[in-house]
Amino acid sequence: MIVAVLLAFAYGIIGWPQQWSKQGLLESVQKRISLGLDLKGGTHLVLQVMVDDAVNTETDRAVERLKDQLKTANINYAQILKPDPTSHPELIQVKGVSPDASGDFKRVVQDGLPDYDPTLGAENSWTLTLKPTAETELKNRAVAQAIQTISTRINELGVTEPTVQEQGLGQYQILVQLPGVYDLARVKDVIQSTAMLEIRQALDGSRSYASQQDALNAHQGMLPPDAVLLPGRPAPGDQGEGQVWWVISRTAAVSGSDLRRAMAGTDESGRPEVNFELTADGGKRFARFTGAHVNDSLAIVLDGKVIEVARIDEQIHDTGRIKGAFTQQQVNDLVMVLNSGALPASIHYLDQETVGASLGAESIREGVTAAIVGMAAVLVFMLVYYKGAGINADLALILNLVILLGFLGYSSATLTLPGIAGVILTVGMGVDSNVLIFERIREELRNGKAPGSAVDQGFQHAWVTIVDTHVTTIVSAAILFLFGTGPVRGFAVTLTFGLLANLFTAVFVSRTIFDAILNRKQRGEAISI
């Protein structure tokens, strides 16, 4: 059984190398054991979440709700505006409310917008202020949503054990660390893309304009009230390349919130495209829109840019596709971003760098050197101090290390510098377990017990203490794993599995070796310990 465990976990470390040479073995080990950012290098980012964007979005919605509520309550007003959306996005101002309607206005605000405090000012002007508690909660929620969205996008990149957490050194900041990822530009594109998908009507059909002025001239200098000018790509078959301008409806038929899922696909010519499905409600609205606009054109708008304009030949229900001059990687990234949802607020990069592999190699060399020197010192000490029994301890410690590293290879857990500390701590506790057992055996021998009986009593007496110390440490490591992230989790993983391996090696393996030695000795013959 011991040999089988040794071979199984040795395979976990090495696998099946492509070449049975030193370089081939090293490459195989590097493939199986993932290294953290502190060892392998990678991408390090600190992001500032612009939480005022979330407040602006909330007050924009509140303005729309307030308009509907005042209309329903038949309360007249002159204007609703946000006096300073840049510096004070939490403020809404309502001008021209009749003094006779002040009581009704206040009641409408208190019932419909309970997070706002209404204050009457000069000239029948009301100022609605978002309550500080609601504003703080909104900002904190924006950071939490940003972490969730970024984590989802990063996970789609296939990064092993990324760190995405709130940065404790600054307010509303997020720390992102991606071990082994060096394409900083791609990471930023994936993280920062808001992927706001909208399907709107292209009011001038498939006609685009080379400039905004050309579009205005075509409409006698003024666009219709429900139209906006958006930049985008030329329609297929149009002359020229680069950015053009489209006249697009101001409101969207469906948007990203109606998206059920997006998938990568290919068109009739084999070019990459994005296919999407809408929710039931979004599909009904899309069907109504396309049914009412057969032979018109629709525009797929992504982050305020027209990606595609197509003619509606027939009613479309709950599916669609986004074509363009995409590469396969761009399609995969767009699918990932669409499926992860939009960020609740824009972000700003405070720090961005890639940690070089040289730092990781140096860290690995120092960590491995420390582990080897420490391990060798322990092995020598056990041989000198416990003589023949020291061989038991040394074999148990070596097997413990093999099991631990093999577990890292099988589980794809990431080895970090704190993880190496966990390995060294595990070795120390393995030594402690062996010392505990051996001293008990020596004590039994000094009391006159026969070698077989002394070994049996030694293991029995030490067992309870070993289990007690290991269980309490494993519980502590489990708490670190649950509440920690990144390297802290790496430390908890190596420590936990190292201790479980230690229970197996220090007790079962060591006892098996003792039994094998006793079986080869004459009855009453002394053992070396």
Side-chain angles (χ1 to χ4, degrees), residues 3 28 38 42 54 78 81-83 85 91 135 177 189 202 240-241 244 253 262 275 311 317 361 380 425 451 469 524:
V3 175
S28 183
D38 49 0
L81 53 89
K82 293 170 64 175
L91 299 180
E135 184 178 353
Q177 291 185 330
D189 285 344
E241 296 180 352
V244 297
N275 300 316
R311 174 176 161 158
H317 292 273
V380 171
L425 180 58
T469 56

Side-chain angles (χ1 to χ4, degrees), residues 66 143 153 193 199 216 219 265-266 322 373 435 446 456 463 477:
L66 184 59
V143 174
R153 294 177 182 179
S193 178
I199 298 179
L216 292 174
H219 288 269
T266 56
I322 305 173
V373 170
V435 168
R446 284 195 294 270
D456 186 54
W463 169 248

Side-chain angles (χ1 to χ4, degrees), residues 113-176:
L113 300 172
D115 289 335
Y116 290 81
D117 287 325
T119 307
L120 181 60
E123 300 178 354
N124 300 326
S125 174
W126 285 85
T127 299
L128 278 57
T129 306
L130 186 63
K131 294 177 180 177
T133 53
E135 184 178 353
T136 302
E137 182 182 353
L138 185 65
K139 291 179 176 178
N140 291 334
R141 191 164 63 242
V143 174
Q145 288 176 348
I147 291 175
Q148 179 63 40
T149 301
I150 292 172
S151 298
T152 302
R153 294 177 182 179
I154 293 300
N155 288 337
E156 294 292 333
L157 286 173
V159 182
T160 304
E161 290 199 18
T163 297
V164 183
Q165 63 185 46
E166 193 164 356
Q167 168 83 311
L169 301 179
Q171 196 173 26
Y172 307 128
Q173 294 178 3
I174 298 174
L175 171 69
V176 177

Side-chain angles (χ1 to χ4, degrees), residues 75-96:
I75 298 174
N76 295 322
Y77 58 91
Q79 189 180 17
I80 298 181
L81 53 89
K82 293 170 64 175
D84 188 359
T86 302
S87 302
H88 294 286
E90 74 280 7
L91 299 180
I92 300 172
Q93 198 169 45
V94 184
K95 295 182 177 179

Side-chain angles (χ1 to χ4, degrees), residues 12 34 98 181 190 193 197 344 371 397 444 457 471 474 484 525 528:
S34 303
S98 169
V181 178
V190 169
S193 178
L197 176 69
L397 289 176
E444 296 297 331
Q457 291 296 313
V471 168
I474 288 173
E525 186 178 352
S528 175

